[in-house]
Structure formats: C-alpha cells, structure tokens
C-alpha cells in the first residue's frame, strides 16, 4: 500500500481507511494521509464481536485509476474460507 501511495503522491490529495488483517485478532487498523504524509497503525477501538470486519479505503485526488487501485488491493484480500481456517487454528 505504501508503494501505491508513494507512486501516486501527487495525484492523491487525501486518503483514509480502516482495515482488518489476518492473524491480528480484534485489532482494527486505520490510516489517513495527505499526499505522501501517512499515519498508519492500530486503532484504540477494537473490532466488536458483532461488528462486520471490513476493509474500506477512500482516496480523494485527480486522475486516479479506480480499476488499478481496486485491483491492487483486491489481490491482498484473504478469502472467507482462508479467514475461517485461520480462526479455527
């Protein structure tokens, strides 16, 4: 993700999001940035037991290639089957 944001630093004005990572338990990760200045880390609020775990990102900028952005991030996703197997371990 950092590579993508650095490569598009002049085109991305603002970015922010919330993410759920495999093998990180109930830790919710958040990021926000302005151009290449990005803050990323664990949230002070954990995922709640009844809360749907999502990865949601918002980019505000110019000449952004939506398909390229989505495709790159989708390659990082873990399938529900993989996620269930990881939880069962």
């Amino acid at each position: 993700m950092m590579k993508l944001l650095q490569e598009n630093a002049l085109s991305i004005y603002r970015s922010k999001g919330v993410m759920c990572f495999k093998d990180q338990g109930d830790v919710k990760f958040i990021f926000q940035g302005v151009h290449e200045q990005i803050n990323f880390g664990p949230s002070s609020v954990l995922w709640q037991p009844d809360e749907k775990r999502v990865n949601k990102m918002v980019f505000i900028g110019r000449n952004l290639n939506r398909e390229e952005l989505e495709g790159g991030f989708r390659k990082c996703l873990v399938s529900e089957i993989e996620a269930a197997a990881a939880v069962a371990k």
Side-chain angles (χ1 to χ4, degrees):
M1 183 171 93
M2 295 304 288
K3 180 181 176 189
L4 172 104
L5 295 174
Q6 289 171 345
E7 289 175 353
N8 292 283
L10 296 177
S11 298
I12 298 175
Y13 304 139
R14 293 258 303 124
S15 59
K16 64 181 182 176
V18 60
M19 293 176 277
C20 177
F21 291 112
K22 181 180 174 184
D23 299 328
Q24 293 299 311
D26 293 331
V27 179
K28 185 184 292 190
F29 288 86
I30 55 173
F31 77 92
Q32 61 179 340
V34 177
H35 294 289
E36 66 272 355
Q37 301 297 318
I38 299 163
N39 292 316
F40 174 80
S43 172
S44 60
V45 178
L46 298 176
W47 292 103
Q48 298 303 303
D50 61 339
E51 184 178 10
K52 183 176 180 179
R53 295 181 184 215
V54 297
N55 293 297
K56 187 170 188 173
M57 294 164 256
V58 176
F59 297 97
I60 300 169
R62 65 167 185 228
N63 301 321
L64 300 175
N65 184 328
R66 182 182 185 125
E67 290 79 26
E68 182 180 285
L69 288 170
E70 282 186 15
F73 286 115
R74 287 190 187 280
K75 290 179 186 175
C76 300
L77 293 176
V78 174
S79 73
E80 288 185 31
I81 295 169
E82 291 173 308
V87 170
K89 287 184 180 178

